[in-house]
């Protein structure tokens, strides 16, 4: 299968693995003005495996994690990769499962791009970027419409099959933007879910035959949300003949295309999205997937270490 871009601009191609569905959405990027000399400097450095900030092509910027930053939420986290700074929060509410998926709970993701983070986020530009980041994260973390390939186990959110489930509302805020927004937001969501406590629910005895059984929600007992299968997102940005991870805004302005791959700890691919105006040969995509799986191990270990340290500080 050959993935070809639309002629209308930057495009995300969303591939749902195991379902063979392809969907495209527009992705808006902030404009970065660079001189011709600056462009050549960035491109030349990447070609020589020495980027402007001293990193190699497959090296991330420093990652910092804070958890429990929003007390009113069931879980929250703040993640910084270099100068890119985002916050994610999780709110859990009881709801009713979909009739099409009576054995699964529901998760919705909404991202808000603060106009103070980037001038291009003001007005319609910010609204479009927020919508497309939300859709891309939904695809990377929740798989296709049937739930195949989902990185978040929706069946764990069921209280009573077909009647009561937990609905998770995940909100993200872009505080500061310097490239690699999707990966940073994905890391913040994973950290926020690690920080999430789901209240223990007791179902009243003898009420199971009712349409809406009575439940008692504990204010003191919470179940820790299992994030063992929640993936990280690795975006490989192609600049010239090479690709890099954790691209800055200036590096993103020089890209021909980029592929974002969500990978969990078991090495399973949960979703793939592509953006950029250039088509890619399937063999290149397969190579990028292989590289992303290798890089994801380092990212998961680093992120888990930062999450553990942040939660230890919260408990002190």
């Amino acid at each position: 299968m050959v993935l070809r871009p639309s002629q209308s601009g930057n495009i995300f191609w969303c591939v749902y693995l195991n379902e063979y569905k392809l969907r495209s959405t527009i992705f808006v990027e902030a404009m970065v003005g660079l001189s011709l000399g600056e462009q050549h400097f960035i491109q030349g450095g990447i070609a020589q495996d020495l980027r402007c900030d001293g990193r190699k092509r497959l090296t991330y910027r420093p990652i910092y994690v804070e958890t429990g930053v929003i007390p009113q939420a069931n879980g929250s986290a703040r993640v910084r990769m270099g100068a890119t700074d985002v916050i994610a929060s999780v709110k859990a509410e009881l709801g009713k499962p979909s009739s099409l998926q009576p054995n699964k709970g529901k998760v919705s993701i909404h991202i808000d791009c603060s106009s103070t983070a980037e001038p291009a986020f003001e007005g319609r530009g910010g609204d479009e970027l927020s919508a497309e980041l939300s859709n891309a994260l939904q695809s990377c973390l929740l798989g296709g419409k049937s739930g195949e390939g989902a990185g978040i186990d929706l069946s764990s959110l069921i209280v009573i099959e077909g009647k009561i489930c937990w609905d998770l509302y995940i909100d993200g805020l872009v505080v500061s933007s310097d490239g690699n927004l999707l990966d940073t937001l994905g890391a913040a969501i994973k950290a926020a879910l690690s920080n999430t406590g789901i209240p223990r629910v007791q179902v009243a005895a003898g009420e199971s035959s009712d349409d809406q059984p009575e439940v008692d929600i504990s204010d003191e007992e919470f179940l820790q949300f299992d994030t063992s299968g929640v993936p990280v997102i690795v975006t490989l940005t192609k600049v010239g003949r090479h690709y890099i991870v954790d691209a800055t805004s200036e590096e993103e302005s020089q890209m021909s295309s980029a592929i974002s791959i969500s990978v969990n700890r078991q090495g399973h691919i949960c979703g793939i999205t592509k953006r950029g105006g250039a088509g890619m040969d399937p063999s290149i995509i397969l190579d990028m997937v292989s590289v992303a799986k290798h890089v994801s191990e380092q990212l998961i270990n680093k992120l888990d270490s930062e999450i553990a340290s942040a939660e230890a500080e919260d408990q002190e």
Side-chain angles (χ1 to χ4, degrees):
M1 177 180 65
V2 178
L3 304 184
R4 298 191 181 277
S6 162
Q7 301 301 313
S8 60
N10 289 340
I11 295 296
F12 258 119
W13 290 110
C14 298
V15 182
Y16 298 141
L17 302 182
N18 303 321
E19 295 194 70
Y20 306 102
K21 294 182 180 178
L22 196 63
R23 183 170 68 87
S24 64
T25 56
I26 299 172
F27 187 78
V28 182
E29 294 175 347
M31 299 299 293
V32 177
L34 297 174
S35 68
L36 192 59
E38 289 172 322
Q39 294 177 35
H40 288 162
F41 184 74
I42 291 171
Q43 295 168 11
I46 291 172
Q48 296 177 41
D49 200 16
L50 183 61
R51 295 157 72 176
C52 296
D53 53 11
R55 290 182 290 152
K56 292 182 177 297
R57 287 191 286 262
L58 300 182
T59 303
Y60 282 82
R61 291 171 290 183
I63 301 173
Y64 302 98
V65 177
E66 296 176 68
T67 56
V69 294
I70 303 177
Q72 299 86 351
N74 291 87
S76 60
R78 183 172 191 166
V79 171
R80 284 170 287 165
M81 285 192 188
T84 296
D85 187 357
V86 304
I87 296 173
S89 67
V90 181
K91 190 70 176 175
E93 295 181 2
L94 285 178
K96 187 174 182 179
S98 163
S99 59
L100 298 176
Q101 296 180 316
N103 62 338
K104 294 181 179 179
K106 292 172 288 184
V107 175
S108 65
I109 300 175
H110 174 74
I111 304 302
D112 182 30
C113 296
S114 169
S115 59
T116 59
E118 173 67 46
F121 294 170
E122 293 185 10
R124 184 177 176 184
D127 293 340
E128 290 179 351
L129 179 58
S130 296
E132 299 317 322
L133 283 170
S134 301
N135 291 336
L137 286 163
Q138 196 96 7
S139 301
C140 285
L141 299 177
L142 301 178
K145 292 183 179 179
S146 71
E148 287 293 330
I152 298 176
D153 182 12
L154 300 181
S155 62
S156 67
L157 300 175
I158 282 292
V159 178
I160 302 176
E161 185 171 331
K163 295 182 178 180
I164 301 176
C165 70
W166 283 107
D167 293 340
L168 296 187
Y169 297 93
I170 300 175
D171 292 298
L173 173 66
V174 177
V175 179
S176 177
S177 174
D178 185 26
N180 203 27
L181 276 177
L182 193 63
D183 296 21
T184 312
L185 284 164
I189 289 173
K190 182 177 175 69
L193 288 170
S194 295
N195 183 244
T196 296
I198 305 292
R200 186 180 292 278
V201 176
Q202 296 284 348
V203 181
E207 300 289 341
S208 59
S209 60
D210 293 347
D211 289 338
Q212 197 65 26
E214 292 186 9
V215 296
D216 180 33
I217 305 173
S218 174
D219 293 328
E220 299 178 353
E221 294 185 76
F222 295 86
L223 303 176
Q224 200 68 25
F225 190 84
D226 181 14
T227 59
S228 59
V230 178
V232 294
I233 301 174
V234 177
T235 297
L236 291 168
T237 304
K238 195 168 187 292
V239 179
R241 299 173 57 186
H242 305 277
Y243 33 83
I244 59 176
V245 300
D246 190 22
T248 64
S249 295
E250 291 184 346
E251 290 171 334
E252 287 180 343
S253 73
Q254 302 305 300
M255 77 174 194
S256 57
S257 57
I259 285 188
S260 299
I261 303 158
S262 54
V263 189
N264 65 17
R265 178 171 287 281
Q266 292 71 38
H268 297 151
I269 305 297
C270 300
I272 301 178
T273 68
K274 176 185 179 297
R275 78 179 190 268
M280 300 186 74
D281 187 273
S283 62
I284 295 177
I285 294 176
L286 290 174
D287 182 54
M288 294 175 83
V289 168
S290 177
V291 171
K293 290 176 72 171
H294 173 70
V295 170
S296 70
E297 295 179 15
Q298 305 170 38
L299 179 57
I300 288 173
N301 290 334
K302 173 63 175 175
L303 190 58
D304 284 351
S305 174
E306 288 293 321
I307 292 172
S309 296
E311 290 179 344
E313 289 180 7
D314 286 344
Q315 294 172 1
E316 290 179 356

